[in-house]
Amino acid sequence: PSVSVCCDVQNTLVNNLFRFYANDHIKEKYLPRLAGSDLGSFGLSEPGSGSDAFALQTRAEVNGDGDYVINGSKMWITNAGEANIFLVMANLDPSKGYKGITCFVMERGWEGFEVGKKEDKLGIRASSTCSLTFDNVVVPKENVLG
């Protein structure tokens, strides 16, 4: 079951979002890596809202260069312990409700982006589940998905 969870997140959530919503530049940059050496992860769930996208607290703001600055956190993120590429949902315009949510492509090691310790779960233990923290993470404007 653990291997199937890792594969399902990689193939169903991550790769399909890139295939259907990424521009050509993003596809060329990330799909070869996801087909080879890198694992992807999908960050939606949050401590106070679970998977309720309408209650996202992670925020994105546009900076002076037109890039995005992300602040917030995610919980229970599958593949996060091993992933190098992350699709992170953040609220760019809370006044628009769910239409203000945007998907950002991030990479492990970016300044202000931390992956927490692996959760000690009762089952599916080979599949890592970790928290993510974003502290003024700058995401290039070309790394918006959709």
Side-chain angles (χ1 to χ4, degrees):
S2 296
V3 173
S4 65
V5 169
C6 293
C7 292
D8 188 48
V9 168
Q10 175 85 354
N11 295 327
T12 305
L13 290 174
V14 176
N15 289 343
N16 276 336
L17 281 172
F18 276 103
R19 285 183 51 230
F20 295 124
Y21 300 108
N23 61 39
D24 288 339
H25 169 74
I26 292 293
K27 286 179 183 178
E28 290 170 12
K29 183 175 181 180
Y30 289 105
L31 283 177
R33 291 173 54 191
L34 289 164
S37 61
D38 288 335
L39 189 62
S41 187
F42 180 84
L44 173 65
S45 299
E46 294 188 350
S49 62
S51 296
D52 178 8
F54 293 103
L56 282 185
Q57 295 299 309
T58 299
R59 297 288 187 250
E61 296 178 346
V62 179
N63 69 13
D65 296 327
D67 294 325
Y68 297 89
V69 179
I70 312 296
N71 285 288
S73 62
K74 302 290 180 184
M75 290 290 290
W76 314 292
I77 306 303
T78 301
N79 291 351
E82 298 79 28
N84 289 318
I85 300 167
F86 295 80
L87 297 179
V88 175
M89 305 301 160
N91 205 326
L92 185 59
D93 187 349
S95 70
K96 292 183 178 178
Y98 70 91
K99 291 184 179 184
I101 297 170
T102 303
C103 182
F104 298 91
V105 183
M106 295 186 192
E107 296 188 38
R108 179 184 294 273
W110 284 4
E111 188 175 342
F113 177 28
E114 292 187 27
V115 177
K117 68 174 183 64
K118 183 178 175 180
E119 295 292 329
D120 186 22
K121 303 182 296 187
L122 293 175
I124 312 179
R125 297 176 61 82
S127 166
S128 68
T129 301
C130 306
S131 61
L132 306 176
T133 305
F134 316 103
D135 184 16
N136 293 316
V137 178
V138 177
V139 178
K141 57 186 161 227
E142 59 268 12
N143 276 36
V144 170
L145 200 64

